Amino acid sequence: MYTTDTIAAPATAPGQGGIAIIRVSGPEAESMMRTLFDRQGEYESHKMYYGHLYMDGEMLDECMCVLMRAPRTYTREDVCEFHLHGGSYASRRVLDALYALGARAADPGEFTRRAFLNGRIDLSRAEAVMSIISSEGDRAARAAMRQLQGGVNSFIKNAQEQLLTILSGVEAALDYPEEISDEEAYTALEASALSLAEQLENACDERGARILEEGLQVVLCGKPNVGKSSILNALLGQERAIVTSIPGTTRDIVQGSIQLDGVKVNLSDTAGLRDGSDEVEKIGIDRARRAIAHADVTVVVLDAALPLDDEDMRLLHETENGDRIVVLNKIDRMPAMAKLPLRDALYVSARTGEGMDALSRAIAAFAANAGQSELSESRHMALARQAAQHLRNAANVCRSGEAVDLAAIDLHDALLCLARITGDRVDEKLLDDIFSRFCVGK
């Protein structure tokens, strides 16, 4: 990839809108702006100007323009932006003019890639930019913002410092064997390596990271006609699922998403669990059971107006070892002073809304810790766990009494894993993979 040429791309999403922004970065950004923009004289950096864009005497658009001189820019290169009328026509004409002047169409994520290559941000901050763009909940956005502000970088730098301290002790033992015995080196190394490995492992929360990225998967299950679809509609605040008094109305999985406590929650209403009466219903029941098996949380819905039967007890038994919420629906029809042998169950009425707030809070509680760990990117967690394993390998070398230089090899490998998180040690293939997922113009 060339990093000395000038690139241009739309910085706003395609389609109609109030404005469209074209971003240009590189050594020729200012000269291209001066060629197209009709204002004469000097330009003050980071100041917005009003004018018109011309190419070969033809006016392209009326716009606002800002020049930002290096190094106080996103890419640490000269950057200019044209704020045009929204829509694709004006953007296309201005981009064609820039290309005619020698600019190149930016690759996906190339502006952020240049920010990384020019030392403005480390690789973890660069990845945070895309996480912010793709966030689907407040919690995910806050986690990405902490990463952008250097949370991951700070944590990894601290781990690297601890690792370098451990490594310096090992290398001292190798350089001065007559002064530092293997036993002394082993004692200090083993405890420190295991402590750091535990820190790195505790910083990883794959479940929480997946919930931030994809949402909490919540499946409503129960016998036919217990009110699963009514509860889904009540939680969503809209009529998504068909509700009738006929058992077996829901044949397939009906889905919808809501935000609870800043986390995206994906709700799935499933076919009533019973011995299906026809082939279509049996397929729906099979899909329901697969959905239950892959759910983060299972909401077991029972009919509060009826005594528990064998099918209810079978479902309660099948779900008792997973994360679940037991809901007794239709309390508006429950016989007076009725007692059901269930503890910690929620009593709700999807029809009247009673108890639905408590159900929402109970669902949100299962994602309470999502986004609280130091590492929330899958790539970072994989590398941190690899580093932790190398540290444990080094500790095992000490425990078995092998040569201390073998431990040094694992410590260097652990250091390399941490360096790949921040981008201190990185190859072109990894950069291509990371930035190819970015949108053009960012």
Side-chain angles (χ1 to χ4, degrees):
M1 172 178 290
Y2 300 98
T3 57
T4 57
D5 56 356
T6 299
I7 57 174
T12 47
Q16 293 185 344
I19 60 170
I21 300 175
I22 301 297
R23 177 178 289 164
V24 186
S25 180
E28 301 302 318
E30 181 171 353
S31 66
M32 290 179 182
M33 184 201 70
R34 288 180 178 274
T35 299
L36 298 177
F37 200 52
D38 64 353
R39 183 183 182 277
Q40 301 300 314
E42 291 302 312
Y43 286 86
E44 184 178 339
S45 183
H46 293 76
K47 183 177 180 179
M48 189 78 76
Y49 294 94
Y50 164 79
H52 299 80
L53 294 176
Y54 287 89
M55 185 65 174
D56 297 330
E58 180 184 3
M59 190 176 79
L60 302 178
D61 199 11
E62 178 184 30
C63 74
M64 302 294 291
C65 179
V66 59
L67 170 67
M68 294 167 278
R69 294 191 176 96
R72 295 192 304 119
T73 69
Y74 184 68
T75 60
R76 280 195 173 168
E77 302 172 335
D78 285 348
V79 172
C80 72
E81 289 182 354
F82 302 105
H83 294 233
L84 315 169
H85 286 102
S88 59
Y89 179 71
S91 297
R92 184 74 262 163
R93 297 187 74 196
V94 173
L95 282 170
D96 287 342
L98 289 166
Y99 298 154
L101 293 174
R104 174 174 60 81
D107 291 328
E110 189 170 357
F111 291 94
T112 303
R113 184 169 184 158
R114 290 189 176 201
F116 164 70
L117 293 174
N118 291 330
R120 181 181 176 274
I121 54 177
D122 69 278
L123 194 56
S124 67
R125 285 186 173 97
E127 290 170 293
V129 172
M130 193 62 214
S131 295
I132 290 173
I133 293 172
S134 60
S135 295
E136 295 195 45
D138 292 344
R139 198 88 65 83
R142 288 197 296 269
M145 190 59 68
R146 286 198 303 273
Q147 184 176 325
L148 182 64
Q149 292 172 336
V152 170
N153 183 277
S154 176
F155 174 77
I156 295 300
K157 292 297 184 186
N158 179 265
Q160 287 173 320
E161 289 175 5
Q162 294 182 58
L163 185 47
L164 287 171
T165 299
I166 298 170
L167 192 55
S168 65
V170 172
E171 292 179 341
L174 293 172
D175 293 340
Y176 305 102
E178 67 283 355
E179 299 179 20
I180 305 174
S181 67
D182 283 354
E183 289 74 16
E184 291 175 309
Y186 289 156
T187 301
L189 167 60
E190 184 177 356
S192 300
L194 290 175
S195 175
L196 182 54
E198 188 173 350
Q199 288 181 47
L200 291 170
E201 289 165 347
N202 290 340
C204 301
D205 178 13
E206 283 84 355
R207 177 182 180 274
R210 180 185 54 75
I211 289 172
L212 288 186
E213 182 177 353
E214 302 174 7
L216 184 73
Q217 308 298 324
V218 179
V219 172
L220 304 172
C221 65
K223 295 187 307 183
N225 235 25
V226 294
K228 300 184 300 296
S229 298
S230 297
I231 289 176
L232 176 76
N233 291 340
L235 288 170
L236 294 177
Q238 58 179 287
E239 296 296 319
R240 180 65 60 86
I242 297 173
V243 177
T244 74
S245 59
I246 303 172
T249 302
T250 302
R251 298 297 186 96
D252 205 346
I253 296 175
V254 180
Q255 298 176 316
S257 297
I258 56 174
Q259 290 280 330
L260 292 178
D261 195 22
V263 175
K264 181 183 179 183
V265 176
N266 300 314
L267 300 166
S268 297
D269 176 25
T270 59
L273 299 177
R274 64 174 179 179
D275 293 330
S277 59
D278 58 60
E279 185 176 355
V280 175
E281 187 177 5
K282 288 179 180 178
I283 293 173
I285 292 171
D286 287 341
R287 291 184 178 181
R289 294 198 178 278
R290 288 198 298 270
I292 293 169
H294 293 93
D296 294 312
V297 182
T298 303
V299 178
V300 179
V301 183
L302 307 173
D303 192 332
L306 298 173
L308 297 181
D309 60 18
D310 290 343
E311 288 186 349
D312 293 322
M313 299 308 296
R314 187 182 306 114
L315 182 57
L316 289 169
H317 176 71
E318 290 174 357
T319 59
E320 64 182 349
N321 293 323
D323 288 336
R324 74 173 184 186
I325 302 169
V326 177
V327 172
L328 288 161
N329 187 32
K330 304 183 185 179
I331 59 172
D332 52 306
R333 302 180 187 176
M334 188 170 62
M337 303 301 292
K339 291 184 178 181
L340 295 172
L342 293 174
R343 292 184 301 173
D344 302 323
L346 295 179
Y347 289 78
V348 308
S349 171
R351 188 177 69 84
T352 67
E354 184 178 354
M356 293 303 299
D357 287 343
L359 176 57
S360 295
R361 290 193 298 271
I363 293 172
F366 284 95
N369 295 321
Q372 301 303 309
S373 59
E374 286 88 349
L375 304 178
S376 57
E377 291 278 348
S378 58
R379 187 182 75 86
H380 301 168
M381 289 186 288
L383 287 167
R385 289 196 181 279
Q386 289 176 31
Q389 186 57 55
H390 285 302
L391 286 162
R392 292 192 181 279
N393 292 344
N396 289 335
V397 167
C398 300
R399 194 175 296 116
S400 61
E402 298 179 65
V404 73
D405 55 344
L406 295 178
I409 295 173
D410 272 306
L411 294 177
H412 278 290
D413 287 341
L415 200 58
L416 177 61
C417 290
L418 298 182
R420 287 174 65 82
I421 293 177
T422 59
D424 295 336
R425 294 284 297 274
V426 69
D427 54 58
E428 199 73 15
K429 183 178 182 300
L430 176 62
L431 293 181
D432 288 342
D433 178 64
I434 290 173
F435 291 106
S436 66
R437 298 194 293 268
F438 278 55
C439 53
V440 173
K442 191 56 181 172

